[in-house]
Amino acid sequence: MRPASPHHENSYRDSSIIGTPNHRRNEQHPHAQESIVSQDFAIESSSDDASSDAFLKDEDATQSHQQQGKEKPQRPSIIPHPSSIGRRASFIDRDEVPPATPATPSTPSKPGPVRWRDLPNKRQLAILTMARLSEPLTQTSLQAYMFYQLESFNPSLPPATVSAQAGMLQGSFTAAQFVTAVLWGRMADNERVGRKTVLLIGLVGTCISCVGFGFSRSFWQAAVFRTMGGALNGNVGVMRTMISEIIREKKFQSRAFLLMPMCFNIGVIIGPVLGGLLSDPVGSYPRVFGEGSLLGGKDGVWWLKHWPYALPNLLSAVFLFSSAVAVLFGLEETLDALRDRTDFGIRLRHSIARLFRSRRHHYTALSTTDTIDSPSSPPRTDSYELESRLPKPASPTPKPKPKRKLPFHRIWTTNVLCTLLCHFILAMHVGTFSNLWFIHLSTPRFNPSSPSPPSHTHQSLPFAFTGGLGMPPRSVGFAMAVLGVIGITLQLLVYPRINAWLGTVPSFRYALLLFPIAYSLAPYLSLIPSTNPPPAQASGLLIWLSLSGVLFIQVVARTFALPATIILINNCSPHPSVLGTIHGVAQSVSSFARTVGPVAGGWSYGWGLRIGVVGVAWWGLAGSAGVGVLAARLVREGGGHEILLEGEEREEMEEEGK
């Protein structure tokens, strides 16, 4: 005889019941068997609790009794009611088979990776995705032709000077963002402004600056409009904040935050291609826009000849304006203090929708004897619309608790500082790579018959070589699009599984190891044999395979590093009340890094061209990426609420007590 172990509970066992006092009384009763059968073999009320404490006979002893053929009084089989399976032990005689075996409780399996269709609030995420997509589309479109637009301002400038100007132009946008990003983050946290208003200002401001940049006629005019666009644009931090407030469950965040870099990769695919195809249309498509052409007439399209790079900027402005309209009419405010207030844009959308619906529907006047509740009146299919418009009694709403806000001087925790340091280094070398990449593709190839500098007459490995690939805007656009195609493929098919397997911090650290490799190999593209001799553009299968290989390494690293750093920034916030501020500070740090990086990279690239060592900028970039690998060891993933303000600890204990 041995007591029933805990694992015998909630399961059917082939054993007999040793009679407990209650059970023996049931056996002695002449109608005990019939009583048990009439209850479907289920023990109810007090006999249930008593039988659950019974002991089991040893199985070997039971078998030996059966083999000896000893006749024993037939004991009733007790089968629990299905509703009682989960709360008491069940026993079945070895000789009996249960009429139906209910589903046994199974241990919960580990949830699989979250799929895209599982994301909540898809409509709001779609609007944010559209708004985010319009900005990288605009920025990457510029990169396809910026070198040639700057060259058109003053054709006498050497490539080294144009490269330095390109870095300054890129840096002017991010420098203005650095100055204003924290301000926009604070305004996004302010109850008088909110997230949506800041986002609209950024989209409209970037739209205006884009048009001005396209119609610029000098370097300084272009720099002014780029600076204005950066000063009015604090959207990246605001969008990250809104995504974290729309998707509050952490299991969905790896997918939701992936939308931001995914939009960048889509913009990298579309933007450079459009920029390369639409820049200088008179020179690229003379039969359509040139003199004596279909659209140009005798003298060609005058404004396209006068502003050859206006057309791609106008198209970018259309994308930005469309995104602003979608945000105005469709995006809901996510700041907790403004959620219950009336939204002007959404109210205007409803008014316009009602106006169009009223024109489609025709109503007939009701007779004075008819009422809405009259049983004789015919049924109306639109009665639900009338009921929805009837005034409803106002229900008393509980007064919201005052929101506590963490002071600005307390947000600088150790984890926040370490995360921002890694974010600074990552943004600096990734932004510098984007700037150097299109400059390197556009830089003329090394020509031994006309060397630049004149003292550099031959190429020498491993360091003494110079020149770029000499690609025109159209080829630069397609080369930049390769980067986007690789990135979007990895983000859709590879990143979710690997990130779910490794986790956020490990995948972030492993990805950083690939950046120094890609940057160290990039300048050697100038030495790959080409099918065209210089000064013609580099081309051929080997060129494009090598170019794609370098891009593949860089994009793999960026695909895992950028979403991870967004999640780390979001979760390092010490208090939910400063989440927008943290993202604003992060954008300011990123903007400063993307100001210093491209300016220093453009200057060092030009200096390398002058001394005949084009790899100076690239190898310096690899060194900064190596520092980022070391700094990542200091980062940990926070919880988003590490500091409890006065009263919050007591409220948290009360909620746990409930």
Side-chain angles (χ1 to χ4, degrees):
M1 305 284 294
R2 58 182 174 87
S5 59
H7 71 271
H8 288 87
E9 294 185 4
N10 304 332
S11 62
Y12 289 104
R13 296 283 299 173
D14 295 334
S15 58
S16 302
I17 296 179
I18 299 301
T20 60
N22 286 341
H23 181 63
R24 282 195 294 269
R25 283 196 295 270
N26 288 335
E27 282 184 325
Q28 294 169 4
H29 196 280
H31 301 289
Q33 186 71 20
E34 291 82 353
S35 174
I36 295 174
V37 172
S38 65
Q39 295 177 13
D40 292 334
F41 305 104
I43 295 179
E44 302 295 339
S45 66
S46 62
S47 60
D48 290 345
D49 300 327
S51 63
S52 62
D53 298 325
F55 294 94
L56 298 176
K57 276 188 175 182
D58 190 85
E59 294 180 2
D60 297 330
T62 304
Q63 292 177 359
S64 64
H65 283 305
Q66 291 176 354
Q67 291 173 0
Q68 293 171 6
K70 293 182 178 181
E71 296 182 358
K72 290 190 175 183
Q74 181 67 26
R75 292 187 177 93
S77 299
I78 302 174
I79 302 176
H81 193 273
S83 63
S84 64
I85 292 174
R87 68 176 187 269
R88 64 179 182 266
S90 305
F91 309 94
I92 301 178
D93 285 343
R94 179 178 296 276
D95 300 331
E96 297 187 14
V97 179
T101 304
T104 58
S106 58
T107 58
S109 58
K110 185 178 179 182
V114 176
R115 296 167 295 183
W116 288 108
R117 63 184 180 184
D118 298 332
L119 288 177
N121 300 319
K122 295 183 181 64
R123 180 176 179 180
Q124 297 298 299
L125 290 176
I127 296 174
L128 279 178
T129 300
M130 179 180 178
R132 180 68 185 114
L133 175 62
S134 62
E135 294 190 0
L137 189 146
T138 301
Q139 305 303 324
T140 56
S141 174
L142 298 176
Q143 294 176 352
Y145 56 82
M146 183 182 289
F147 186 90
Y148 295 96
Q149 184 175 8
L150 292 174
E151 200 174 42
S152 68
F153 294 156
N154 188 353
S156 62
L157 293 177
T161 304
V162 176
S163 300
Q165 285 185 348
M168 293 173 63
L169 206 59
Q170 186 74 15
S172 62
F173 181 89
T174 53
Q177 275 190 328
F178 164 71
V179 174
T180 60
V182 176
L183 174 63
W184 291 122
R186 299 289 286 178
M187 292 180 68
D189 283 337
N190 194 301
E191 298 179 6
R192 298 180 180 179
V193 184
R195 325 280 199 215
K196 184 174 177 178
T197 303
V198 173
L199 188 58
L200 282 171
I201 293 173
L203 290 171
V204 174
T206 308
C207 176
I208 296 172
S209 70
C210 198
V211 174
F213 182 83
F215 286 92
S216 298
R217 294 289 297 168
S218 68
F219 169 74
W220 296 110
Q221 289 179 3
V224 167
F225 283 108
R226 289 288 290 166
T227 303
M228 183 186 76
L232 295 176
N233 191 316
N235 288 357
V236 174
V238 175
M239 290 179 187
R240 291 173 180 173
T241 305
M242 296 185 79
I243 288 178
S244 67
E245 291 171 335
I246 292 172
I247 307 296
R248 296 185 181 269
E249 295 185 62
K250 282 193 174 183
K251 66 178 182 178
F252 296 118
Q253 286 186 352
S254 62
R255 287 278 187 178
F257 282 117
L258 187 61
L259 292 172
M260 304 286 280
M262 187 182 298
C263 290
F264 177 81
N265 280 324
I266 295 175
V268 167
I269 297 172
I270 302 174
V273 173
L274 291 178
L277 292 176
L278 299 179
S279 62
D280 192 15
V282 175
S284 301
Y285 313 102
R287 295 183 179 180
V288 180
F289 301 101
E291 297 179 0
S293 63
L294 178 64
L295 300 178
K298 180 179 179 181
D299 299 326
V301 181
W302 175 82
W303 68 276
L304 290 178
K305 292 175 63 178
H306 197 65
W307 295 289
Y309 300 96
L311 187 59
N313 284 277
L314 289 175
L315 183 62
S316 298
V318 170
F319 284 129
L320 289 165
F321 182 77
S322 302
S323 300
V325 171
V327 168
L328 175 64
F329 291 125
L331 188 64
E332 299 174 359
E333 178 62 60
T334 61
L335 183 63
D336 289 336
L338 298 178
R339 281 179 179 269
D340 298 330
R341 297 186 185 179
T342 302
D343 189 290
F344 170 76
I346 294 179
R347 185 175 63 179
L348 181 60
R349 185 193 74 194
H350 291 326
S351 300
I352 295 174
R354 284 196 300 267
L355 178 64
F356 281 97
R357 281 201 302 266
S358 64
R359 291 182 178 180
R360 290 198 304 266
H361 292 284
H362 300 281
Y363 300 99
T364 57
L366 293 172
S367 64
T368 56
T369 59
D370 289 341
T371 61
I372 294 178
D373 297 326
S374 174
S376 61
S377 59
R380 292 179 292 274
T381 57
D382 294 336
S383 61
Y384 68 92
E385 295 185 1
L386 297 175
E387 292 175 3
S388 64
R389 288 167 173 77
L390 291 176
K392 298 180 180 179
S395 58
T397 57
K399 187 177 181 180
K401 297 180 180 180
K403 297 291 183 181
R404 300 177 179 88
K405 192 166 185 178
L406 188 70
F408 185 74
H409 68 274
R410 294 187 62 188
I411 71 173
W412 310 105
T413 64
T414 302
N415 192 39
V416 167
L417 294 176
C418 293
T419 305
L420 291 177
L421 174 63
C422 286
H423 185 51
F424 172 85
I425 297 173
L426 178 65
M428 182 179 66
H429 64 71
V430 169
T432 306
F433 172 83
S434 299
N435 188 62
L436 288 181
W437 184 251
F438 79 84
I439 292 177
H440 190 68
L441 295 178
S442 304
T443 301
R445 297 173 63 192
F446 172 74
N447 189 359
S449 60
S450 179
S452 178
S455 59
H456 187 82
T457 57
H458 65 280
Q459 308 278 60
S460 177
L461 288 172
F463 305 115
F465 59 92
T466 187
L469 299 180
M471 292 183 173
R474 187 180 304 180
S475 299
V476 172
F478 283 108
M480 296 289 290
V482 171
L483 185 140
V485 171
I486 297 174
I488 196 68
T489 304
L490 292 173
Q491 284 174 341
L492 289 174
L493 303 179
V494 179
Y495 170 78
R497 298 180 182 273
I498 300 298
N499 186 72
W501 176 46
L502 292 177
T504 301
V505 176
S507 62
F508 175 68
R509 291 172 177 170
Y510 291 144
L512 295 181
L513 296 172
L514 298 177
F515 284 113
I517 300 174
Y519 300 154
S520 300
L521 295 177
Y524 292 98
L525 293 174
S526 302
L527 302 178
I528 302 298
S530 171
T531 56
N532 295 331
Q537 76 171 78
S539 62
L541 180 62
L542 194 57
I543 288 287
W544 286 99
L545 287 178
S546 303
L547 186 145
S548 300
V550 172
L551 283 179
F552 180 80
I553 299 173
Q554 200 270 347
V555 173
V556 168
R558 194 185 66 191
T559 298
F560 286 90
L562 291 184
T565 190
I566 295 173
I567 296 174
L568 292 174
I569 290 170
N570 184 77
N571 294 340
C572 80
S573 176
H575 194 270
S577 64
V578 293
L579 182 60
T581 302
I582 288 292
H583 281 291
V585 171
Q587 185 178 357
S588 182
V589 169
S590 173
S591 299
F592 179 69
R594 289 183 290 117
T595 300
V596 175
V599 171
W603 178 85
S604 60
Y605 187 86
W607 180 65
L609 290 177
R610 285 192 293 270
I611 65 174
V613 183
V614 75
V616 168
W618 292 108
W619 298 322
L621 199 62
S624 65
V627 175
V629 173
L630 300 177
R633 307 298 302 175
L634 305 174
V635 175
R636 64 177 179 85
E637 186 173 4
H641 198 163
E642 298 179 0
I643 297 179
L644 295 177
L645 298 179
E646 183 180 357
E648 288 183 338
E649 186 173 358
R650 178 170 51 83
E651 293 177 1
E652 189 173 294
M653 293 177 63
E654 291 177 356
E655 291 179 0
E656 291 178 355
K658 294 178 183 179

